[in-house]
Amino acid sequence: AQAPARVVGVVTAADPAARTLTVKADDGSSKQVKVVEAAKISQLAPGQTSLADAKPAELASVAAGDRVLARGPENN
């Protein structure tokens, strides 16, 4: 089995109704991320690096300028 794709970067556009995020990845590329209904969304305080203190969040709370880590299957 192939490991899930991973994107780390800054949200440049969020469309909660369409369940999509556009992310400018740390490598400079732009990726469109489809957020499935079953996705687990967690929020960390600025500067935190561990998910141990993450709080549950809703997709609607993700906005342009937020830093994200998204992982899952990559569509070609």
Side-chain angles (χ1 to χ4, degrees):
Q2 189 176 22
R6 177 180 157 138
V7 173
V8 178
V10 176
V11 175
T12 57
D15 185 349
R19 300 194 64 81
T20 60
L21 301 173
T22 303
V23 178
K24 181 172 183 182
D26 288 348
D27 68 6
S29 65
S30 182
K31 304 278 185 179
Q32 180 116 29
V33 176
K34 177 74 173 166
V35 182
V36 297
E37 202 64 46
K40 180 180 175 184
I41 300 171
S42 301
Q43 182 177 22
L44 293 171
Q48 294 295 313
T49 57
S50 169
L51 291 175
D53 295 323
K55 298 189 177 10
E58 298 295 323
L59 179 58
S61 68
V62 180
D66 288 344
R67 189 154 172 80
V68 297
L69 176 148
R71 49 177 197 198
E74 188 168 356
N75 293 335
N76 295 325

